[in-house]
Amino acid sequence: MKSKFLLLVGVLFAVGAVLSGCKDDPNENPYPDTLTQFSAEAASGANAINSNGGTRTIAFYSPVTWTAAVTTSDGGDWVKLEPASGPVGTCSVTVTAAKNESKDKTRSATVTITAGSETLTYTVEQRYQLTFDVTNADSKAIYLPTEGETFVLNLDNNAGTIGYTVSISEADAKWITYDKGSKAVDNLSFTVAAIDNDYFGTIRTGSIVISENNGGPGNITITVKQAGTKTMMIWPTATQSVADIMTGFDNTKYETLYLAGKLADATAVGAVGTYVGGSVNKVDLTDAVAESIPMNAFQGCSTLKTVTINTKVTSIEAGAFAGSGLTSFTFPLNSEKVKVDGKDKTVDMPNKIATIGDNAFQGTKLASIELPGALTTLGANAFQGCPALKEVTFAFSGWKDNEKYDTKLDNAVTSIGNAAFMTCPSLTSVKLPVNALTTLGDDVFNGDFALAGAFDLPKTVTTIGARAFQQTIISSITLTAVTTLGDNVFDGCNSLASITSKTATPPAVPSTLGVMGNGNLVIKVPSAEAVAAYQAATGWSTYAASITK
């Protein structure tokens, strides 16, 4: 029996089956009397099928009918062979390999074509899954100062003899240079140029891609971020704390503090707050890992105007921004897949911040705030004394889609703390959460002199604290499920012309609703029996003449 081992050359990356074709015309073949290989695609070493799978093909001439079979090195059934037999003529068979999930083992398959007493043997290799990591990059990112520098990426990979390629886009290559002369195979050297003085952006961003040779799936992308001319890059490491980096810092030369990296935690955030002043008016925490803004972190930072937080933050602690000059604060959004009217859709969901502590934004200069719907705790005095605050909105925390595809917004907050929005004289618009809110604390809107018109109280609210609406100029309010009202809840509400209470039992009042100066006040209750009950109830009896069905 003759046996020929095929030396393979060339590469084919198409995935799928290539069906054989045979020509029954021996006059077109110079080897009509023997089983002969015409061509075969290389499938070993650097040309092995990559780990995602692929095909290789062998073409041959057979003088008789033939059969083909395949065996694998590991005994697995990860290879398909088509066709398994054929007639006389010029033919081909295709080997299709499935994905190799292994991260350390190359596997092979051997195809044997038999024609009478003759055989051809064809061996296919498939790579393992390549992995790349950079041991000295920070969450696959490098953060650099304005003046630029040369840095080395320590590559940890299992590429072996397969190798890898370093790629930088044409645009990024104008300021990121790869030193191809680096002698150490896995220590890759790059130089980032200094930023020109006429670049006024906060950060410029580029990418370095390290990928498996020959189009394989293994790769890693390293993001390079460099501070603009007015930005101080703060990248704490195991050997450099925030204090070390900021030694000799002159806050009159910078406008933005940019905190980044896997050690940019809550402690680092608190440390950064001590350097706000001078010309610094912005803190960017986009690339920090802090899960909270710590207590009093930026308290009294009068030059601070803008803060951008990262998506990992779940709590803003007491006094975090109290007394600062903050004029802009936006909770980040996360892209999530949800059902909207019965269809899959990707939407921007508000960040999962659950807690805003006492006095967190007290006395700031915010003009508006949209609070995340995932919020469960809004502390006392959280926005108390914000003179410019005009609009407060609670965003949604998720989508609810019922069988009729009626999409509804969902909010999580159940209570608003005492004096949360007290003495905000510019506040004119409040949109409270509609699904879960049960409690408004004492003094929550006390002294909000511009809060006017019909107040939209959610139907879920059962308790309203003392002096909650004192000195506002609301004109009407509906109490759908309220069972308890604090003393002087409507004291000084001289524009209040209509209170509608939908419970047959009067909401309990300790002693008084307060002094309401509108002589045309009407208190509407659900029935004639309820009229009598309200007229006799503590707090309500003072306004007995105004109570009607």
Side-chain angles (χ1 to χ4, degrees):
M1 179 179 288
K2 298 179 183 179
S3 179
K4 298 183 177 64
F5 182 80
L6 309 180
L7 178 64
L8 309 178
V9 293
V11 181
L12 177 67
F13 291 100
V15 178
V18 178
L19 299 179
S20 85
C22 295
K23 293 184 178 180
D24 191 11
D25 185 0
N27 294 325
E28 294 184 7
N29 195 285
Y31 307 104
D33 298 322
T34 184
L35 178 63
T36 304
Q37 170 206 338
F38 284 159
S39 64
E41 296 172 320
S44 62
N47 293 313
I49 295 176
N50 72 53
S51 58
N52 269 1
T55 64
R56 293 293 186 270
T57 300
I58 178 173
F60 58 93
Y61 175 83
S62 178
V64 297
T65 59
W66 55 271
T67 60
V70 62
T71 59
T72 58
S73 58
D74 58 3
D77 60 353
W78 51 274
V79 170
K80 290 183 178 180
L81 181 64
E82 292 184 336
S85 61
V88 175
T90 303
C91 305
S92 64
V93 293
T94 296
V95 181
T96 301
K99 184 176 181 179
N100 185 359
E101 300 289 354
S102 173
K103 291 183 171 58
D104 58 5
K105 293 181 180 179
T106 294
R107 59 189 181 182
S108 63
T110 300
V111 177
T112 301
I113 300 169
T114 302
S117 62
E118 296 183 289
T119 63
L120 287 176
T121 303
Y122 174 73
T123 299
V124 176
E125 290 182 352
Q126 185 181 27
R127 305 171 194 165
Y128 44 74
Q129 290 279 336
L130 291 196
T131 60
F132 292 95
D133 202 359
V134 178
T135 58
N136 65 326
D138 196 336
S139 300
K140 297 183 176 59
I142 295 287
Y143 304 96
L144 300 173
T146 306
E147 54 270 24
E149 63 180 50
T150 296
F151 62 93
V152 174
L153 292 179
N154 300 323
L155 187 62
D156 179 15
N157 70 96
N158 64 350
T161 59
I162 295 172
Y164 51 82
T165 300
V166 175
S167 303
I168 302 172
S169 72
E170 182 178 351
D172 292 344
K174 294 178 181 179
W175 58 282
I176 303 174
T177 303
Y178 172 41
D179 179 9
K180 296 181 180 179
S182 301
K183 293 182 179 180
V185 174
D186 293 337
N187 292 333
L188 312 180
S189 179
F190 300 86
T191 298
V192 171
I195 284 185
D196 295 334
N197 289 331
D198 58 355
Y199 181 87
F200 297 106
T202 301
I203 295 289
R204 73 173 173 184
T205 302
S207 298
I208 299 169
V209 179
I210 305 170
S211 55
E212 174 184 345
N213 281 347
N214 298 321
N219 68 80
I220 184 174
T221 299
I222 304 297
T223 301
V224 179
K225 293 194 174 185
Q226 185 180 21
T229 54
K230 295 293 184 179
T231 299
M232 179 65 188
M233 180 65 74
I234 307 171
W235 182 20
T237 65
T239 58
Q240 270 199 320
S241 66
V242 172
D244 293 332
I245 296 168
M246 302 299 280
T247 299
F249 174 69
D250 183 353
N251 61 18
T252 64
K253 296 181 179 180
Y254 296 90
E255 295 176 357
T256 300
L257 302 182
Y258 196 101
L259 179 66
K262 64 184 179 182
L263 295 183
D265 55 14
T267 300
V269 172
V272 166
T274 64
Y275 297 96
V276 177
S279 299
V280 175
N281 57 50
K282 180 179 180 180
V283 172
D284 196 325
L285 306 176
T286 301
D287 288 319
V289 297
E291 295 182 1
S292 68
I293 308 299
M295 181 181 296
N296 303 328
F298 300 98
Q299 185 179 33
C301 294
S302 59
T303 66
L304 184 63
K305 305 298 182 186
T306 304
V307 173
T308 303
I309 64 173
N310 67 77
T311 57
K312 293 182 175 65
V313 173
T314 59
S315 66
I316 297 174
E317 304 298 332
F321 300 102
S324 70
L326 198 63
T327 59
S328 176
F329 188 93
T330 303
F331 293 95
L333 298 173
N334 297 321
S335 292
E336 295 183 17
K337 292 183 178 180
V338 299
K339 288 282 188 182
V340 178
D341 295 330
K343 299 178 181 180
D344 291 329
K345 186 176 182 180
T346 299
V347 299
D348 288 330
M349 304 289 286
N351 194 49
K352 303 301 184 183
I353 290 182
T355 302
I356 295 178
D358 296 349
N359 311 98
F361 293 89
Q362 185 179 32
T364 61
K365 298 179 181 180
L366 292 170
S368 64
I369 190 74
E370 184 178 44
L371 297 170
L375 192 68
T376 57
T377 302
L378 181 59
N381 304 98
F383 293 88
Q384 186 265 327
C386 294
L389 188 61
K390 295 181 179 180
E391 183 178 6
V392 174
T393 304
F394 285 78
F396 59 88
S397 64
W399 295 89
K400 287 185 177 179
D401 207 23
N402 65 19
E403 293 179 356
K404 295 181 180 179
Y405 307 125
D406 179 19
T407 303
K408 297 180 180 179
L409 298 180
D410 180 31
N411 304 98
V413 68
T414 59
S415 65
I416 297 176
N418 294 342
F421 301 100
M422 180 180 180
T423 321
C424 294
S426 300
L427 187 61
T428 58
S429 176
V430 177
K431 295 179 181 178
L432 295 175
V434 298
N435 293 328
L437 184 66
T438 60
T439 304
L440 298 181
D442 295 347
D443 299 296
V444 65
F445 299 112
N446 188 351
D448 295 347
F449 307 127
L451 191 58
F455 188 86
D456 189 8
L457 185 72
K459 297 177 180 180
T460 54
V461 173
T462 59
T463 301
I464 302 176
R467 303 169 301 280
F469 292 93
Q470 192 173 46
Q471 301 297 322
T472 65
I473 54 174
I474 62 172
S475 60
S476 65
I477 188 168
T478 297
L479 313 177
T480 302
V482 174
T483 58
T484 303
L485 294 170
D487 272 339
N488 294 300
V489 61
F490 300 118
D491 186 55
C493 295
N494 296 327
S495 297
L496 188 57
S498 174
I499 299 174
T500 300
S501 182
K502 295 190 175 183
T503 58
T505 301
V509 180
S511 61
T512 178
L513 293 172
V515 177
M516 294 175 277
N518 191 335
N520 296 318
L521 173 65
V522 175
I523 300 174
K524 298 178 182 179
V525 297
S527 65
E529 293 78 6
V531 169
Y534 275 75
Q535 288 176 335
T538 301
W540 297 95
S541 59
T542 304
Y543 297 94
S546 301
I547 299 172
T548 184
K549 176 185 173 183

